Amino acid sequence: MKKKVLGILLTLAVTVAFAAGCGGQNPSEVQEQTENTQGETGAAQEEKDSVIVAMGTTSEPESGFDPAYGWGAGEHVHEPLIQSTLTVTTTDLKIDYDLATDMQVSEDGMTWTVKIRDDVKFTDGEALSAQDVAFTYNTVKENSSVNDFTMLKEAVALDETTVEFHMERPYSIWPYTMAIVGIVPEHAYSAAYGENPIGSGRYIMKQWDKGQQIIFEANPDYYGDAPKMKQVTILFMDEDAAYAAAMAGQVDLAYTSASYSDQTIDGYALLAYETVDNRGFNLPAVSVSTDAQGNQVGNDFTSDVQVRRAINIGIDREEMIANVLNGYGTAAYSICDKMPWYNEEARVSYDPEGAAELLDQAGWTVGADGIREKDGVQAKLNILYASGDSVRQALAADTQNQLKKLGIEVTIEGVGWDTAYTRALGEPLMWGWGAHTPMELYNIYHTLDNGTAEYSPYSNETVDKYMDEALKATSLEESYDLWKKAQWDGTTGVIQEGDIPWIWLCNIDHLYWANENLKVAEQKLHPHGHGWSIVNNVDQWEWQ
């Protein structure tokens, strides 16, 4: 009797949790959907050509599948499933071709000439031409709310298979931008395109039940290798509902987090993929002042470079990964660990004695209360984190505990993003970054017209110069070397022996519960955002 009651309670719990991730439907509706999904899952495994994936609710693209409004960029960074792109990134984050067959850049870096395939059709039967490519890029330049296209002056179709990109300024890493911009058809583009997309990619969007699911079907006229997965269903669920759905066998792959990693699910394996999904905090590198709006800019404690260096080597990243992430992460020393443009000199060893010595040498002496002090300024920090983000909160708390041992008193505070950006100008904020482009370095460290970097006050003319030269480079390989020098050139940079205005803690592994009979294709490093990256190559997945 007891087992029967427990079984009923578990079924009810799964149903309720599943409902929470399915748009708030009532239990009877969810039970019906659950039964239907279960039947589909069984069919998927029998036919071996379809898959059901659970993603977080924030992964659903609010503006739909229009590249001009974020699809393929931001939190949805990937090669779009519906549209084709000119280039793609490989598993080692180098550049390869998709629609493009050749690309050349002029010596001054101001003109990119790209040849495209002549055998590609949109799913409405119309041929894809260079005119569509030019139209797409001119449209995203005009309307993009996510990506920066200020470097592009205009795109021009020279003939049916040749497009020229005329630049406002040299931009050597343009091929990385071309890897996330899906090509749309000029003849079928309108304000409603995002909800009814027509593309030339691997899949066709067949159904979108907002707040619940999206169903993709393989494009029968795709010019590349035919997708092995003929149907891909994406369910949008919160984390608890995704876990419950996996427990009930209703999904083939479900995103999860380290807090669930000590659990087991019959018939499922826990997959962990390395990322460049960074977590770290800024340290304002200038003394306190006030901007025109009355906001604090700078911090009298963290403006001391020796303090920043001490904090960087005074944090045990491996302990943090073990305690906060249950071991599912890798230590981070920069914003671009493991990327082709990463400078290995950024790596440091945990050295609490060395950290204490740096603080002593800089005049930060331990007071009677155990807190360091110098010239009347106490070694105190208030670390901000995004309210509702339990991982960032835990990382902030772990940082608090570790820095206390160095004589630094830390408080932590949850804040909303409406105030976080402004407050980060004077206080550390626990951030999340990481993208498949060196522009992430530029966006964080490069000086703006106001004389300081965008997200935290910092400026270094030499670092700026290297990044500017990197963008003017005549090849990607040449630019990689310059991006590395911006991090450290032997004399100055943004790493430990340089200015160290940001402290990078860890790259969070992206975790998934996967049906043990499902073979997920090899993944490239996932960027920031635990969502669409996993299905970048879903067309290559197989049932075993």
Side-chain angles (χ1 to χ4, degrees):
M1 179 64 178
K2 198 173 284 187
K3 289 184 179 178
K4 183 176 181 181
V5 171
L6 286 174
I8 293 172
L9 290 174
L10 178 59
T11 300
L12 179 60
V14 169
T15 301
V16 172
F18 199 67
C22 295
Q25 298 151 280
N26 66 50
S28 61
E29 290 174 328
V30 173
Q31 184 64 40
E32 182 179 352
Q33 180 176 343
T34 301
E35 290 169 355
N36 291 341
T37 307
Q38 189 170 26
E40 291 168 3
T41 305
Q45 295 184 36
E46 183 179 342
E47 297 169 9
K48 300 185 184 300
D49 64 358
S50 63
V51 67
I52 300 173
V53 177
M55 288 186 191
T57 54
T58 58
S59 294
E60 186 172 23
E62 292 183 11
S63 300
F65 300 88
D66 188 337
Y69 299 100
W71 175 241
E75 291 295 309
H76 310 110
V77 174
H78 61 290
E79 288 86 45
L81 299 174
I82 303 167
Q83 297 95 359
S84 305
T85 53
L86 292 176
T87 62
V88 293
T89 51
T90 61
T91 53
D92 60 356
L93 279 304
K94 300 294 179 65
I95 294 294
D96 201 357
Y97 291 148
D98 182 5
L99 283 178
T101 59
D102 182 64
M103 62 181 173
Q104 302 292 330
V105 60
S106 60
E107 287 189 13
D108 62 3
M110 297 296 284
T111 304
W112 288 82
T113 304
V114 180
K115 298 287 291 184
I116 66 169
R117 302 174 62 122
D118 61 3
D119 59 346
V120 178
K121 291 184 178 181
F122 290 108
T123 52
D124 64 357
E126 295 290 327
L128 185 153
S129 71
Q131 284 84 358
D132 296 298
V133 176
F135 171 80
T136 297
Y137 277 84
N138 291 328
T139 299
V140 296
K141 172 182 170 54
E142 187 69 26
N143 299 323
S144 181
S145 56
V146 177
N147 269 356
D148 174 22
F149 285 95
T150 57
M151 78 296 290
L152 177 64
K153 183 177 182 179
E154 66 173 340
V156 178
L158 301 185
D159 55 41
E160 291 298 300
T161 59
T162 310
V163 62
E164 271 189 356
F165 296 103
H166 299 236
M167 314 302 286
E168 293 282 5
R169 59 184 184 273
Y171 197 69
S172 65
I173 57 175
W174 182 243
Y176 284 98
T177 298
M178 292 193 288
I180 61 171
V181 179
I183 305 304
V184 303
E186 182 176 9
H187 68 273
Y189 187 81
S190 69
Y193 177 84
E195 295 191 7
N196 301 282
I198 293 173
S200 58
R202 295 160 286 168
Y203 289 93
I204 302 169
M205 192 193 80
K206 299 296 292 185
Q207 182 177 330
W208 182 10
D209 303 313
K210 291 187 177 180
Q212 298 183 39
Q213 67 175 358
I214 295 173
I215 299 174
F216 299 101
E217 290 186 0
N219 178 1
D221 298 317
Y222 180 56
Y223 51 89
D225 294 335
K228 296 175 182 176
M229 290 294 175
K230 303 303 182 187
Q231 184 181 88
V232 179
T233 301
I234 306 294
L235 303 179
F236 300 109
M237 299 178 162
D238 64 35
E239 195 171 286
D240 291 339
Y243 178 70
M247 283 188 62
Q250 309 307 323
V251 294
D252 302 312
L253 183 139
Y255 83 109
T256 190
S257 67
S259 59
Y260 285 94
S261 61
D262 58 350
Q263 304 296 311
T264 57
I265 301 178
D266 288 343
Y268 286 77
L270 183 65
L271 304 183
Y273 294 108
E274 288 195 4
T275 75
V276 64
D277 194 350
N278 300 282
R279 295 295 180 272
F281 54 91
N282 62 300
L283 291 177
V286 300
S287 298
V288 171
S289 64
T290 304
D291 66 14
Q293 289 73 43
N295 302 309
Q296 177 184 327
V297 176
N299 185 292
D300 288 338
F301 178 45
T302 62
S303 63
D304 187 333
V305 68
Q306 295 293 69
V307 166
R308 303 196 297 272
R309 290 171 179 167
I311 290 174
N312 193 41
I313 63 173
I315 291 178
D316 186 344
R317 291 165 173 80
E318 296 301 335
E319 180 268 350
M320 187 173 284
I321 291 166
N323 286 351
V324 177
L325 303 179
N326 289 343
Y328 288 102
T330 55
Y333 305 99
S334 82
I335 197 171
C336 54
D337 298 54
K338 312 166 198 166
M339 309 294 267
W341 47 89
Y342 168 56
N343 190 328
E344 293 282 352
E345 295 293 325
R347 183 180 295 272
V348 295
S349 299
Y350 173 50
D351 184 5
E353 292 80 12
E357 185 177 345
L358 284 174
L359 292 169
D360 289 338
Q361 290 174 354
W364 294 93
T365 57
V366 179
D369 58 0
I371 303 173
R372 292 179 181 269
E373 184 177 332
K374 177 183 179 181
D375 300 332
V377 177
Q378 282 197 307
K380 291 185 176 182
L381 286 177
N382 183 48
I383 299 180
L384 310 172
Y385 63 88
S387 299
D389 191 316
S390 60
V391 171
R392 296 190 200 195
Q393 179 180 5
L395 290 171
D398 200 296
T399 301
Q400 177 185 40
N401 293 334
Q402 293 203 39
L403 293 186
K404 184 177 181 180
K405 299 173 185 177
L406 292 177
I408 300 173
E409 182 176 335
V410 176
T411 54
I412 64 174
E413 178 186 356
V415 295
W417 286 111
D418 55 333
T419 61
Y421 286 95
T422 299
R423 291 187 61 181
L425 297 176
E427 302 172 87
L429 171 65
M430 192 66 67
W431 296 85
W433 294 97
H436 292 165
T437 168
M439 279 304 289
E440 201 85 333
L441 272 168
Y442 187 100
N443 293 335
I444 286 178
Y445 295 112
H446 198 280
T447 306
L448 301 177
D449 291 340
N450 64 2
T452 186
E454 182 171 5
Y455 300 103
S456 186
Y458 167 71
S459 181
N460 184 316
E461 289 184 6
T462 302
V463 171
D464 289 347
K465 180 173 176 288
Y466 282 128
M467 291 192 283
D468 291 338
E469 289 178 354
L471 291 178
K472 296 176 182 177
T474 57
S475 70
L476 282 175
E477 289 69 22
E478 180 186 346
S479 78
Y480 293 160
D481 185 56
L482 290 162
W483 292 113
K484 290 178 181 180
K485 286 183 176 179
Q487 295 163 70
W488 181 246
D489 67 356
T491 303
T492 191
V494 298
I495 68 169
Q496 175 68 14
E497 298 304 321
D499 300 324
I500 197 70
W502 288 70
I503 306 298
W504 302 104
L505 303 173
C506 55
N507 294 298
I508 295 175
D509 285 356
H510 287 173
L511 304 180
Y512 303 87
W513 294 109
N515 186 303
E516 60 187 11
N517 294 317
L518 179 64
K519 182 180 179 182
V520 176
E522 180 185 2
Q523 298 286 302
K524 67 185 76 173
L525 281 174
H526 286 193
H528 179 54
H530 193 167
W532 289 91
S533 292
I534 186 67
V535 295
N536 265 350
N537 56 13
V538 67
D539 55 304
Q540 301 168 35
W541 296 8
E542 297 179 86
W543 286 102
Q544 299 182 106

